[in-house]
Amino acid sequence: MNPRAPAAEPKDVAPRAPAVVPASFPPAELKATCEKILARYPTKMAALLPILHEAQAFGGGWVSPELEAGVAAYLDLSPAHVHGVLTFYSMYNTKPAGRHELWVCRTLSCWRRGAPELRAKALDKAGCTRTGEVGEDGRFLVKDMECLGLCEQAPAIWLDGVAHANVTPEGLEQLMDGCE
Amino acid sequence: MSASSSPEPVVTINGTAYPYEPGDTVIRVAHRHGIDVPHYCYHPSMSPAGNCRICMVEVVGSPRPQIACKMACFPGLSVNTDSDLAHEARADTMQMLLVNHPLDCPICDQAGECHLQDYSYQLGSGRAVTSTPKTKLPKNQPFGEQIVYDAERCIKCTLCVRFCEEITDTNELSMGQRSDHEQVIMTSAGEFTTRYSMNIVDLCPVGALTSRDFRFRSRLWFMDFVPSVCTGCARGCNVTVGARMGKVLRLEPRENQDVNQWWMCDAGRLGYKHANSATRLGVPAVRDASGAWREATFEQAIQAASAALAEHRHEERPGHVLLDGGATLEEMWVARQLAAALGGEARFAAHVGDDGDEFLVVNEKGANARGAEALGLARVKNAADAGAAVLVIERDEHVPADLRAASGAVVAFVTDASHVPDSVRVAFPFGSFAERDGWLVNVGGRVQRLLGTGEAGPSAVQPFQAVAQEILLDLDAGHDVLDDAALETRLRAAPGLADLVWPPASREPAEVSS
Ligand code: SF4
Ligand code: SF4
Ligand code: FES
Ligand code: FES
């Protein structure tokens, strides 16, 4: 009957990231566009993709956690759902982007016709070791992308939203040199 | 439409016709009739997702197998769950599911109750057919405080996501990324707002979601499991208690559509810690002349208790027995007799919270408060009414320190030694919910069976009913000693109790399923 001190419960709860404060969305300059988009769809959820594109353009090429939460609140969606959609599509960025965005196709036709060399060249010129990263000078974000729909003119790339086909490493070098 | 000539529409499964209701899927009809159809992503409470493909069955007359969880029944439909085609389809599905699965069963908590493991033994070849390295994904991701996620083990069935969407409507989870990088993601806040989050650990068909409380504590096959009820509040969710070597290790919900469906709350699930307290009273103890505690045998302690109570009765102090609101009907019944012999009455005390919700949790925390009221026991709410000769306490919150101190009791039955007030001269160990057998009445008037396991708590604890009746014999030689079966017969017929919803008479636990 000599009560021993109770053994302490093990505490190995991992530290957690603080909750983000949602950005107020849409900002004044996007209000009209967003409302137009909403009007096109039967439900708010259906408007998620185009709204995220707007948010990304507004955010300087990426969707920050705050912006993401703002979009979720705007469309009455759970932040988890929005994050799921955002990470499903490779066209959205969840990390700060570079001044230019370069996509290299990694699907079969391009891969068979020289995409690996283009990819290596792009990474080298951008000064990064892997795709999805921005080089130190902040110039390029290089990304792997699934088929760009230009298989008959493989290999293909997209640079800042413009498609280029039949690209050679030299051609790519020139294109990249033309970017500030 | 040949079968439509019968009055009720039927589907044929493995050659036998079974009736179905409009909207039924093949898997529902099969399960209703005890036909096994393997499934991972299907759960009867949620919309079918149809993404795991393990439930494929052969559709007679069609070259392609179909998923049973999404296939609606129609007249004339005939399926085979056990044919070569069905087996082949399943084996192929298993191959896909295992392409990136780590198969780390030796260190996985799910091992032993994992269907991925079962079917991979049944259907797998034991050799990988791919030579590419397995995808690396995050492991040990915290989902809230209590859950740990391993994305490599996850088979992306989305049950956990759908639970948070369809059952709790709190939407903390979603699927992120895609293809072989697909994984469950959580809101950036990383916390569950639902208080039912840990149900996803049970739902997860594999070991991708584990409970921080239980993980790595024990292999399942070393544990003893009993069907019982949660005593965290008066809802009385049906549970399976798992224990090993004197410790309760896990509570999991057990299906009962009338009480808790398939679920339980997180607080109830983790509300077993007092049963494992380091200060559990394991043997009877008696104060000697100097007031110091001495261990005693049950015989010695019963003698000492009878003497102390006879003296107490002689001094004409309150002869009440104050019970914990989680005591069983049997215990309350015997307590009432004991109190009568002491010139008092049986009373109870139980905590009332303010956190009840629309789902399961109710404010009344006394798991048998409803039973106590049905037996006519008065409720003690404050120290002024707490006067008693005998205390029976499992949980601190029901009979808190101020009531205990004010009782002036001389005999106490306690789960925890630290709950013995100074006035007590004889203390008996009292089993926790995981060690006692008996009936409890839940908030809806349903009588449910609390079942103990010998693997929990200190060994050789005698039930309160037995000890109290021994004391009664000492105090009042005319008393008839009743065993639990005789007590049950009396309880079932007792005024106030006879009208409640009793399970069929048997010594089996109430409404066991799954
Ligand atoms: S964690 Fe479990 S329940 Fe959730 S999707 Fe993965 S396998 Fe399914
Ligand atoms: S709702 Fe009540 S009975 Fe059900 S698990 Fe929670 S505490 Fe236990
Ligand atoms: S494969 Fe590269 S554009 Fe189609
Ligand atoms: S159970 Fe039918 S597809 Fe998963």
Side-chain angles (χ1 to χ4, degrees):
Chain A
M1 282 289 286
N2 271 333
R4 272 176 291 139
E9 287 292 323
K11 262 218 170 64
D12 58 346
V13 176
R16 224 156 296 110
V20 300
V21 181
S24 94
F25 192 89
E29 49 270 62
L30 282 188
K31 206 157 188 300
T33 323
C34 286
E35 275 164 15
K36 236 203 250 150
I37 294 174
L38 276 189
R40 289 210 306 262
Y41 296 96
T43 63
K44 285 185 172 183
M45 188 192 238
L48 179 57
L49 295 186
I51 298 268
L52 279 178
H53 278 303
E54 294 301 331
Q56 171 154 306
F58 172 80
W62 70 297
V63 187
S64 64
E66 292 77 16
L67 210 46
E68 184 185 321
V71 170
Y74 179 53
L75 298 179
D76 293 333
L77 296 171
S78 86
H81 178 81
V82 174
H83 192 70
V85 170
L86 207 54
T87 52
F88 183 93
Y89 294 105
S90 21
M91 294 82 182
Y92 300 117
N93 298 322
T94 51
K95 284 188 291 196
R99 291 196 293 283
H100 302 277
E101 193 165 323
L102 177 68
W103 301 350
V104 183
C105 175
R106 70 156 170 206
T107 308
L108 203 59
S109 309
C110 294
W111 205 249
R112 297 274 292 133
R113 301 220 352 129
E117 290 75 34
L118 292 184
R119 189 175 185 265
K121 173 62 92 190
L123 286 176
D124 183 41
K125 289 222 55 111
C128 34
T129 45
R130 56 171 73 162
T131 51
E133 278 178 1
V134 180
E136 233 168 58
D137 57 5
R139 222 160 35 121
F140 287 102
L141 167 65
V142 183
K143 290 169 78 173
D144 290 313
M145 203 53 75
E146 308 306 331
C147 179
L148 297 171
L150 293 166
C151 326
E152 80 286 8
Q153 304 172 63
I157 61 152
W158 272 40
L159 180 58
D160 292 330
V162 179
H164 301 266
N166 281 321
V167 185
T168 59
E170 297 71 39
L172 179 63
E173 192 158 7
Q174 272 178 22
L175 279 171
M176 288 178 81
D177 283 341
C179 293
E180 272 307 300
Chain B
M1 297 259 168
S2 53
S4 59
S5 54
S6 59
E8 232 179 344
V10 294
V11 281
T12 307
I13 304 178
N14 301 339
T16 311
Y18 298 99
Y20 68 88
E21 283 147 30
D24 261 347
T25 50
V26 169
I27 206 168
R28 281 183 195 270
V29 178
H31 285 175
R32 200 178 299 142
H33 293 96
I35 302 164
D36 181 39
V37 178
H39 55 95
Y40 296 126
C41 70
Y42 164 78
H43 192 272
S45 68
M46 291 177 228
S47 63
N51 59 27
C52 77
R53 320 306 287 184
I54 197 70
C55 66
M56 289 210 268
V57 294
E58 176 181 4
V59 178
V60 176
S62 153
R64 281 189 49 187
Q66 297 285 342
I67 50 172
C69 69
K70 261 198 161 174
M71 183 164 212
C73 296
F74 55 85
L77 174 65
S78 173
V79 302
N80 289 322
T81 65
D82 229 2
S83 62
D84 287 348
L85 185 70
H87 283 276
E88 212 180 294
R90 258 171 237 159
D92 289 351
T93 300
M94 279 305 294
Q95 218 173 64
M96 292 298 288
L97 286 172
L98 293 177
V99 163
N100 282 314
H101 190 87
L103 275 176
D104 54 350
C105 314
I107 54 156
C108 177
D109 282 290
Q110 191 85 2
E113 57 179 8
C114 176
H115 286 306
L116 197 71
Q117 189 183 37
D118 296 347
Y119 298 142
S120 108
Y121 271 111
Q122 263 172 40
L123 307 163
S125 72
R127 305 189 66 218
V129 289
T130 51
S131 56
T132 42
K134 299 198 180 222
T135 315
K136 290 264 174 282
L137 292 174
K139 294 176 95 73
N140 302 321
Q141 292 243 104
F143 278 5
E145 299 229 342
Q146 293 299 343
I147 299 169
V148 183
Y149 175 60
D150 180 327
E152 290 186 350
R153 289 184 191 151
C154 173
I155 59 167
K156 288 80 183 176
C157 72
T158 71
L159 269 178
C160 53
V161 175
R162 280 176 286 148
F163 177 81
C164 297
E165 286 172 356
E166 299 179 22
I167 306 295
T168 64
D169 192 22
T170 45
N171 304 297
E172 290 94 344
L173 302 178
S174 180
M175 299 309 296
Q177 312 272 2
R178 62 167 193 267
S179 176
D180 62 345
H181 277 73
E182 190 178 28
Q183 55 196 272
V184 180
I185 52 165
M186 197 174 194
T187 43
S188 44
E191 283 297 348
F192 283 97
T193 52
T194 172
R195 63 207 303 200
Y196 297 94
S197 66
M198 294 179 80
N199 288 299
I200 65 176
V201 175
D202 317 326
L203 276 175
C204 183
V206 295
L209 295 173
T210 45
S211 142
R212 199 176 281 287
D213 184 59
F214 176 66
R215 70 201 306 250
F216 309 138
R217 297 277 303 278
S218 172
R219 301 269 51 170
L220 296 167
W221 48 91
F222 295 135
M223 292 167 62
D224 186 41
F225 293 97
V226 286
S228 187
V229 294
C230 173
T231 56
C233 80
R235 170 73 62 188
C237 293
N238 290 208
V239 298
T240 303
V241 178
R244 179 185 176 191
M245 300 203 298
K247 299 272 186 251
V248 178
L249 296 183
R250 183 172 92 174
L251 259 57
E252 278 197 314
R254 194 160 51 84
E255 181 185 349
N256 184 335
Q257 288 305 315
D258 296 314
V259 179
N260 55 313
Q261 297 174 304
W262 297 267
W263 324 118
M264 73 187 296
C265 76
D266 295 351
R269 186 188 298 258
L270 299 175
Y272 66 81
K273 307 279 163 146
H274 67 285
N276 299 348
S277 159
T279 52
R280 280 290 303 259
L281 181 60
V283 289
V286 180
R287 272 196 215 273
D288 65 15
S290 69
W293 286 106
R294 294 268 175 270
E295 275 189 17
T297 63
F298 273 93
E299 290 72 38
Q300 294 164 340
I302 286 167
Q303 252 175 26
S306 307
L309 288 172
E311 192 179 316
H312 190 87
R313 181 167 59 177
H314 186 69
E315 289 168 8
E316 295 187 3
R317 289 196 279 150
H320 307 310
V321 178
L322 177 55
L323 293 140
D324 179 297
T328 63
L329 289 179
E330 287 89 335
E331 287 154 359
M332 291 177 175
W333 182 274
V334 171
R336 209 162 61 170
Q337 290 177 310
L338 180 59
L342 296 171
E345 55 183 38
R347 298 173 166 184
F348 79 103
H351 178 59
V352 178
D354 57 0
D355 62 338
D357 61 23
E358 313 260 274
F359 194 30
L360 297 178
V361 180
V362 294
N363 287 339
E364 174 62 77
K365 302 300 173 199
N368 202 21
R370 179 75 204 271
E373 280 157 8
L375 275 174
L377 268 51
R379 185 172 196 132
V380 173
K381 291 189 179 134
N382 48 50
D385 297 334
V390 180
L391 294 177
V392 183
I393 308 169
E394 179 188 350
R395 290 186 193 248
D396 179 46
E397 66 263 33
H398 291 330
V399 191
D402 60 326
L403 292 196
R404 299 196 295 259
S407 69
V410 290
V411 174
F413 293 77
V414 289
T415 300
D416 205 300
S418 65
H419 297 163
V420 180
D422 292 341
S423 58
V424 165
R425 294 173 27 207
V426 184
F428 291 94
F430 185 61
S432 75
F433 69 96
E435 298 136 50
R436 290 163 21 238
D437 291 354
W439 294 105
L440 301 175
V441 185
N442 90 339
V443 70
R446 177 173 293 271
V447 189
Q448 306 195 99
R449 189 121 185 101
L450 184 76
L451 205 63
T453 155
E455 278 288 307
S459 52
V461 170
Q462 291 198 16
F464 168 80
Q465 297 92 296
V467 175
Q469 294 194 83
E470 291 286 329
I471 297 175
L472 254 175
L473 267 186
D474 282 354
L475 291 175
D476 164 14
H479 176 75
D480 280 342
V481 176
L482 304 175
D483 63 7
D484 274 8
L487 275 170
E488 181 177 334
T489 314
R490 293 220 178 14
L491 288 168
R492 280 180 184 268
L497 292 179
D499 309 335
L500 299 172
V501 192
W502 283 84
S506 81
R507 303 302 295 165
E508 286 305 297
E511 299 166 54
V512 188
S513 59
S514 102

